[in-house]
Amino acid sequence: MPERVVVGWDLGGAHVKASLVERGVLRDVAQWACPLWQGLDRLHAVLAEVQARWPQAAGATHAITMTGEMVDLFEHREAGVIALAAAMGGALDGPLRFYAGERGWCAPAEVAAQWQAIASANWWATAALAAQALGDGVLVDIGSTTTDLIALQGGTVRAQGRSDAARLVSGELVYQCVVRTPLCALAPRVVFRGRASNVMNEFFATTADVYRLTGELDPAHDLHPAADGGAKDVAATRRRLARMIGLDARDADESDWRAFANAWRELQLDELQGQLERVLDAAPLPAAAPLVAAGCGDFLAEALARRIGRPCRSFASLLFGDLPQADAALRCRAQVGAPSAAVALLLARESV
């Protein structure tokens, strides 16, 4: 086993996820809200929290992947990659390696030349680790902002696209999630009390409201403000959902609003299933090849597996198997922080 400590980083536009690997074993995974569009100071604040959480990681090797270059803080993606790399280099001790997908690892001096491969490559890390462990399957990583649908075949990543733009075309990247997606982006019409209604195209509610009401969203992953900046209790959640069809929460009872949340859930599953079927059509897999569920919306991946009649494996099960040291809380955090765990483990294993 490698002796060194590796910290894996996934620098998103809304969250930072980090993983600690010691002697080749994943020891901890954590997530912090980081609205990067508000400034790099948000990232620096998170870096300080990570260093306080893991003092034993002083001088560690850092494996870094990112999607935060997309935020409108930066003039363009190239500037974002370079700025994030510089921020990490200025704040961290120890060697830094930047993940460039199928091209492997880049040193800080290579970032400017390799920015296109580094930009938004986090999905490749998760898929590569899953492919190594499983052989055939489909990674279904449903997070707080996006969904990745990546075919795995013969132990390799079988992605059609490499960039976000190409993956949006292929269906491998779906800009829907279980926290931050405005509900008006899911569908133009929704059923309430047996009747279809047009949807108000206003930022009244998000998918977090849906999955808060269905009871499927872990509060630990509900880190950003609600659409109205208000409370996240049941009453406030119903109020936001009601506005989507021009009503108030008092206009219906608890069971009606719960059914309404489930109607939105089904609409999102319809969209995700359609995109998943596009990916499967492009890379036919054996019927027994499972979906690999990751992200804070892994419960939807399980629902998709039931819909299309495939088995489902959790990403955490590929990392830990039945190892007793991996308690339930760590397994859950590894699901959510999958790309950070993946880059840390991929780099740690290269040193064996």
Side-chain angles (χ1 to χ4, degrees):
M1 284 292 182
E3 294 295 323
R4 64 185 181 180
V5 176
V6 177
V7 178
W9 300 86
D10 182 17
L11 309 179
H15 300 87
V16 168
K17 296 161 188 171
S19 293
L20 178 70
V21 169
E22 297 177 306
R23 299 177 183 269
V25 177
L26 183 62
R27 301 295 187 188
D28 196 11
V29 184
Q31 171 182 244
W32 291 264
C34 182
L36 189 58
W37 60 87
Q38 296 177 3
L40 280 171
D41 61 310
R42 300 294 181 141
L43 175 60
H44 289 297
V46 170
L47 295 179
E49 291 192 49
V50 176
Q51 290 166 331
R53 183 183 180 101
W54 298 325
Q56 70 271 41
T61 298
H62 298 277
I64 301 166
T65 188
M66 64 181 71
T67 60
E69 79 283 346
M70 291 290 294
V71 302
D72 51 18
L73 175 66
F74 307 118
E75 181 181 0
H76 43 63
R77 291 176 298 126
E78 179 181 2
V81 170
I82 292 171
L84 290 173
M88 297 298 281
L92 300 175
D93 296 324
L96 272 62
R97 305 293 288 172
F98 293 88
Y99 190 66
E102 60 189 321
R103 296 189 186 183
W105 300 96
C106 294
E110 301 172 295
V111 168
Q114 297 293 333
W115 74 267
Q116 288 179 301
I118 294 169
S120 295
N122 65 343
W123 60 273
W124 189 284
T126 311
L129 200 67
Q132 290 175 12
L134 196 62
D136 295 340
V138 183
L139 173 67
V140 181
D141 188 343
I142 304 175
S144 64
T145 305
T146 62
T147 294
D148 293 307
L149 304 169
I150 309 298
L152 318 171
Q153 197 166 45
T156 62
V157 179
R158 287 291 304 273
Q160 302 171 68
R162 298 297 186 267
S163 67
D164 279 1
R167 294 194 306 124
L168 285 167
V169 171
S170 69
E172 294 166 316
L173 174 60
V174 186
Y175 249 79
Q176 288 194 17
C177 66
V178 297
V179 180
R180 301 180 63 238
T181 302
L183 280 194
C184 58
L186 295 189
R189 292 172 67 78
V190 65
V191 173
F192 180 70
R193 284 178 163 174
R195 299 177 63 184
S197 170
N198 287 345
V199 170
M200 289 191 169
N201 288 315
E202 294 281 357
F203 186 49
F204 284 149
T206 68
T207 45
D209 292 301
V210 168
Y211 299 111
R212 204 179 294 122
L213 207 56
T214 65
E216 295 170 295
L217 180 61
D218 188 328
H221 311 143
D222 190 6
L223 300 179
H224 284 267
D228 60 359
K232 296 180 180 180
D233 57 20
V234 171
T237 297
R238 290 177 188 154
R239 183 170 64 247
R240 284 186 291 270
L241 288 177
R243 287 175 180 154
M244 295 302 304
I245 52 171
L247 295 176
D248 298 309
R250 65 184 182 180
D251 294 328
D253 61 26
E254 177 183 350
S255 62
D256 289 325
W257 294 123
R258 188 165 54 251
F260 189 48
N262 278 298
W264 285 107
R265 184 184 192 273
E266 291 303 304
L267 287 170
Q268 186 162 43
L269 280 171
D270 289 344
E271 175 63 19
L272 294 176
Q273 181 179 348
Q275 301 294 344
L276 175 60
E277 289 171 347
R278 290 179 63 197
V279 170
L280 286 167
D281 286 345
L285 294 168
L291 305 189
V292 179
C296 60
D298 56 2
F299 53 87
L300 289 187
E302 295 166 4
L304 286 171
R306 290 191 294 271
R307 276 187 168 206
I308 67 172
R310 284 186 179 270
C312 189
R313 293 280 303 275
S314 71
F315 180 74
S317 74
L318 305 183
L319 300 183
F320 300 113
D322 296 323
L323 292 178
Q325 68 264 33
D327 62 23
L330 178 56
R331 288 174 181 269
C332 180
R333 296 198 302 274
Q335 285 286 99
V336 175
S340 68
V343 289
L345 289 166
L346 288 170
L347 186 59
R349 291 172 183 179
E350 285 193 9
S351 70
V352 176

